Amino acid sequence: MFYIGCHLSASKGFTAMGKKALEIGANTFQFFTRNPRGGKAKDVSEKDIADFLALAKENKFGVLLAHAPYTLNAAAADESVRQFALDTMADDLKRMEYVPHNYYNFHPGSHVGQGTEEGIRKIAGILNAVLKKEQTTTVLLETMAGKGSEIGRSFEELQSIIEQVELKEKLGVCLDTCHVYDAGYDIVNRLDGVLEDFDRIIGLDRLKAIHLNDTKNPFASHKDRHEKLGHGFLGLDALVGIINHPKLRDLPFYLETPNELDGYAMEIALMKKKRG
Ligand code: FE
Ligand code: FE
Ligand code: ZN
């Protein structure tokens, strides 16, 4: 089964997102758990959830990917900023149980001058506070481009976080194709080698999802600017190689390309055509 979708606006609820996904040829999607800049989450509507779960079942949807607000910084030096990250993630994970067995992705954080090691220690501390044995959601650490003092620019950094977390079985990784190339992993010329590195350092069993994006910047730029599929430095051939790679093809793919819905529909149709 080829699971592909894109980032959708969550403002009208799960059922509206599910219908939008179907309209554009998707069978999964990503959404922000609340305003991407933070703020209060919407109240959960049980009717919306029930309707969505029926629609998802009927249309054989793949796993959903919730995305934490990107302003959270679990590695912050400022205690109140870290507390906000903790409270937000804890609340998000509680709400995620209304749609059980899905994924919750977050940007590990930026150490803002404290050093990578201290940042990693703080991120692991937050995860140890928010992860619960009984949760059905898997929390994904996103591979980052390494902009500023971002943590998660290397597989080693992600593995160091995982190593310090007690409930490791609740953790996975979401690989963003724009970010890893930007971070210095050459998935255009040596995809097999990069996946071998991932397997040796983290373990491919932790890889749960792919953010499928092209990039506006050349290799190892550390800039994090997404581009439409086939219009950037990754190019169509590399992206097609990724969706068809034997070690990746069964994972869900989520587009976060600069598009409106019609653009997403075109890219999804293109990827389906190129799926071997
Ligand atoms: Fe992200
Ligand atoms: Fe991403
Ligand atoms: Zn990005």
Side-chain angles (χ1 to χ4, degrees):
M1 195 63 175
F2 185 27
Y3 292 110
I4 185 163
C6 65
H7 188 89
L8 293 175
S9 160
S11 61
K12 295 200 176 73
F14 282 100
T15 314
M17 287 191 279
K19 286 181 180 163
K20 277 236 163 71
L22 291 172
E23 265 172 46
I24 59 173
N27 53 9
T28 182
F29 55 88
Q30 173 176 273
F31 61 99
F32 283 124
T33 51
R34 61 188 71 216
N35 184 304
R37 305 205 153 272
K40 210 174 159 288
K42 273 193 13 165
D43 289 332
V44 176
S45 150
E46 285 182 26
K47 162 125 179 40
D48 177 41
I49 301 275
D51 288 350
F52 169 71
L53 291 176
L55 176 130
K57 192 171 173 199
E58 192 184 306
N59 294 284
K60 299 189 167 61
F61 267 45
V63 60
L64 305 184
L65 185 55
H67 196 306
Y70 48 69
T71 47
L72 296 189
N73 188 5
D78 185 335
E79 159 113 48
S80 66
V81 175
R82 236 166 41 243
Q83 186 65 44
F84 178 72
L86 192 160
D87 293 343
T88 304
M89 289 175 76
D91 186 53
D92 281 350
L93 287 174
K94 212 164 84 192
R95 288 157 175 280
M96 287 293 291
E97 293 301 316
Y98 285 99
V99 280
H101 301 288
N102 286 302
Y103 296 152
Y104 178 69
N105 174 70
F106 80 110
H107 296 178
S110 296
H111 67 70
V112 287
Q114 305 166 90
T116 307
E117 215 179 302
E118 180 56 19
I120 286 172
R121 205 183 60 77
K122 286 182 165 144
I123 296 161
I126 300 243
L127 286 168
N128 281 326
V130 299
L131 296 179
K132 298 278 174 268
K133 242 198 191 89
E134 60 277 13
Q135 76 183 52
T136 64
T137 304
T138 302
V139 174
L140 308 187
L141 299 155
E142 182 166 355
T143 61
M144 301 310 292
K147 211 168 56 177
S149 64
E150 257 172 10
I151 292 170
R153 67 180 69 206
S154 70
F155 299 155
E156 285 84 355
E157 289 184 8
L158 293 176
Q159 181 55 22
S160 310
I161 299 171
I162 295 167
E163 267 162 21
Q164 295 180 38
V165 173
E166 278 158 48
L167 294 171
K168 292 181 178 56
E169 68 273 22
K170 305 295 182 190
L171 288 182
V173 171
C174 173
L175 185 144
D176 186 310
T177 56
C178 165
H179 297 178
V180 289
Y181 189 70
D182 223 16
Y185 290 100
D186 190 356
I187 55 174
V188 174
N189 298 301
R190 52 175 295 270
L191 177 60
D192 281 318
V194 171
L195 293 177
E196 275 162 31
D197 292 347
F198 190 104
D199 195 34
R200 194 183 62 254
I201 296 159
I202 302 179
L204 275 173
D205 53 330
R206 288 253 184 238
L207 182 55
K208 303 295 185 193
I210 306 280
H211 278 166
L212 192 69
N213 302 309
D214 211 324
T215 172
K216 283 195 201 297
N217 291 104
F219 184 61
S221 298
H222 306 293
K223 290 239 169 68
D224 190 0
R225 302 268 322 275
H226 302 188
E227 180 55 288
K228 292 187 168 75
L229 302 186
H231 292 252
F233 283 88
L234 289 180
L236 194 59
D237 288 351
L239 292 163
V240 169
I242 287 164
I243 61 163
N244 288 309
H245 194 284
K247 289 186 171 147
L248 305 177
R249 59 182 289 120
D250 294 329
L251 296 172
F253 296 89
Y254 308 87
L255 313 182
E256 304 174 302
T257 45
N259 275 308
E260 301 296 329
L261 277 183
D262 55 339
Y264 278 133
M266 269 173 51
E267 290 190 342
I268 289 167
L270 175 63
M271 288 300 112
K272 283 182 174 173
K273 207 177 89 190
K274 298 285 187 187
R275 172 82 166 188

